[in-house]
Amino acid sequence: MADKCDLCLLGLIVLSSLLSGSSGVDHVFISSGGNVRLSCNNALSDCTSTTWLYYNKFRHSALVELINGGMKKKDTERHESLSLGSDCSLNINNVTIEDRGLYTCQQYENGQQQGPDAHVYLHVLHVSPSSSSSSSSSSSSSSQTEISPGRSVSLSCQLYSFTGSYCDDWVRLEDIELLWVNQAGVDLQTDSRYQISAPDRCIITLTTTLLNEDHNREWRCEVTQRKQLKTSVTYTVKYSAQDDTQVTKVAVISVASVAVFLLAVLWMICRRRADNTRGTVDSAVKDENDHKGTNETINMSIPPAARANEQTDDHVTYSEVTSVNIKPVKSLDDHDDTVTYAAIRGTEDQPQDELYTSVKKNKSFTNQH
């Protein structure tokens, strides 16, 4: 019996949809977590005559009165999310999938209904990740979950309609389509990285393996009617704080490794330059020392008195001997000169009383700086 009622209701809805131009039927699509405004097309100038009714077979077995005489009914569920606009429209904040259904606006004066009913069908689009523990009743327009790179994630995007199990037939009739796109609006079905499946026209699932660069990436599920965008839900990839810490540690270690490598290379370059400089200096010092030496001069002379007899004394001679000796460079502070005197005697048969030989040793330094 219930199935027959559902079929009858579906038939009435489809008929109303086909005649929407004259019967005042409106279809509104909204993403879960958003705010929506439902227009009352038959409103009078004074909203005190406005009544709003709601029907959802998944929540109630009969019509529920939300607004009566322009006043909100406080004994209804989620009454805190409802409000009446200045144009008699019904405003719903933070929409959930339970808010889908049929809304009817009526006008009453003196207990008599004025004009026809204005029907509004509300459809809610919702995304739920398979790795998320969120319940089906809690949702937001920008769904997020803490997951890790390298793991597979599946995102199910579903259009919750007033038709329930007959959603697939209604979607086909109304030319409604669901699809996943990236931030640029490109259909992800064209990318081999993503697997897109649609068990029916009211559900579309995206499956992919997360990469490191997917952190803060957005994927969007859109619903279109006759190729016109109606609403969308954005899913943002958020890695956990622990994953962020691991990524940070890896980055720090990588930077430190590169820094140590660069320091080692710099040290080797500096050491090689220092060795080359030291070799050049040592070679220069060696060459310089090779040109340095100590000169020893030995002067042998005859006193003047002996020189006077030089012409007559064949056995007395004198000579001057100069000797040069190259020795290692001594300290510049070494100024001690040694003078040695020696007496050279002639042959015994001729006296050499006044013959003296002086040997004088002088040091000289050549090639000084």
Side-chain angles (χ1 to χ4, degrees):
M1 188 69 177
D3 292 340
K4 291 183 179 181
C5 292
D6 290 341
L7 287 173
C8 293
L9 178 61
L10 178 61
L12 291 174
I13 291 171
V14 171
L15 181 61
S16 297
S17 298
L18 295 174
L19 303 175
S20 58
S22 59
S23 63
V25 176
D26 192 12
H27 291 271
V28 176
F29 298 84
I30 187 66
S31 59
S32 58
N35 302 328
V36 68
R37 172 180 170 273
L38 307 181
S39 299
C40 182
N41 296 328
N42 61 359
L44 302 179
S45 58
D46 187 1
C47 291
T48 57
S49 60
T50 300
T51 296
W52 273 99
L53 304 175
Y54 168 65
Y55 175 73
N56 182 346
K57 67 175 184 177
F58 303 102
R59 295 178 63 184
H60 308 285
S61 58
L63 290 172
V64 177
E65 192 175 60
L66 304 177
I67 303 291
N68 186 357
M71 301 296 293
K72 181 171 62 175
K73 303 280 290 187
K74 294 184 178 180
D75 58 349
T76 59
E77 296 181 39
R78 288 178 51 78
H79 68 276
E80 68 281 354
S81 65
L82 305 176
S83 64
L84 190 66
S86 59
D87 59 350
C88 306
S89 61
L90 180 65
N91 300 319
I92 307 175
N93 296 328
N94 193 24
V95 174
T96 69
I97 58 178
E98 283 80 5
D99 292 324
R100 60 177 172 165
L102 171 62
Y103 293 80
T104 302
C105 182
Q106 297 175 340
Q107 303 297 320
Y108 285 90
E109 284 186 348
N110 300 322
Q112 298 293 323
Q113 183 175 351
Q114 305 295 317
D117 293 347
H119 299 291
V120 181
Y121 298 98
L122 182 61
H123 316 279
V124 181
L125 186 68
H126 177 67
V127 169
S128 57
S130 61
S131 59
S132 175
S133 60
S134 58
S135 63
S136 60
S137 61
S138 61
S139 58
S140 64
S141 59
S142 180
S143 179
Q144 299 179 356
T145 185
E146 293 184 353
I147 48 183
S148 303
R151 298 180 60 183
S152 177
V153 62
S154 293
L155 306 176
S156 178
C157 178
Q158 182 171 353
L159 179 65
Y160 289 86
S161 173
F162 64 94
T163 57
S165 59
Y166 298 100
C167 178
D168 188 70
D169 295 330
W170 173 76
V171 164
R172 183 184 298 106
L173 181 65
E174 292 294 322
D175 192 17
I176 294 174
E177 184 180 10
L178 300 178
L179 66 157
W180 278 102
V181 299
N182 59 18
Q183 291 174 282
V186 178
D187 192 345
L188 293 179
Q189 197 158 7
T190 62
D191 192 333
S192 59
R193 179 193 165 191
Y194 304 95
Q195 294 78 50
I196 308 296
S197 61
D200 60 57
R201 292 178 178 267
C202 291
I203 301 175
I204 186 169
T205 302
L206 177 149
T207 303
T208 188
T209 299
L210 295 174
L211 306 176
N212 289 329
E213 55 266 28
D214 286 334
H215 183 53
N216 285 330
R217 188 183 298 276
E218 293 181 356
W219 295 308
R220 189 167 64 251
C221 179
E222 296 180 345
V223 57
T224 63
Q225 184 177 26
R226 300 179 180 89
K227 305 302 179 182
Q228 297 295 319
L229 179 66
K230 292 302 181 178
T231 190
S232 64
V233 177
T234 299
Y235 176 85
T236 305
V237 178
K238 285 288 186 182
Y239 292 152
S240 64
Q242 182 178 2
D243 294 327
D244 290 340
T245 303
Q246 291 297 111
V247 172
T248 302
K249 287 181 179 180
V250 171
V252 170
I253 292 174
S254 300
V255 172
S257 300
V258 172
V260 170
F261 174 75
L262 292 177
L263 288 175
V265 172
L266 182 61
W267 178 81
M268 292 178 64
I269 293 175
C270 293
R271 181 175 179 180
R272 182 170 298 178
R273 289 182 177 178
D275 291 341
N276 292 338
T277 303
R278 186 181 302 109
T280 302
V281 172
D282 292 345
S283 178
V285 171
K286 180 178 180 181
D287 293 341
E288 184 177 351
N289 289 339
D290 288 344
H291 289 83
K292 291 184 179 181
T294 302
N295 294 333
E296 289 186 353
T297 302
I298 302 175
N299 296 322
M300 301 181 65
S301 62
I302 300 174
R307 289 183 183 179
N309 299 327
E310 182 179 356
Q311 300 296 329
T312 59
D313 194 349
D314 295 335
H315 298 281
V316 178
T317 61
Y318 73 95
S319 64
E320 182 176 280
V321 180
T322 301
S323 174
V324 178
N325 183 22
I326 299 177
K327 296 181 178 180
V329 179
K330 297 180 65 178
S331 172
L332 296 176
D333 296 333
D334 188 3
H335 300 296
D336 294 337
D337 295 330
T338 302
V339 179
T340 304
Y341 296 91
I344 302 177
R345 300 181 180 274
T347 57
E348 294 182 358
D349 56 345
Q350 293 184 4
Q352 305 293 334
D353 295 335
E354 298 183 2
L355 178 60
Y356 295 95
T357 300
S358 65
V359 180
K360 184 178 182 181
K361 182 179 180 182
N362 298 318
K363 292 184 178 179
S364 63
F365 299 86
T366 60
N367 298 324
Q368 297 181 356
H369 295 288

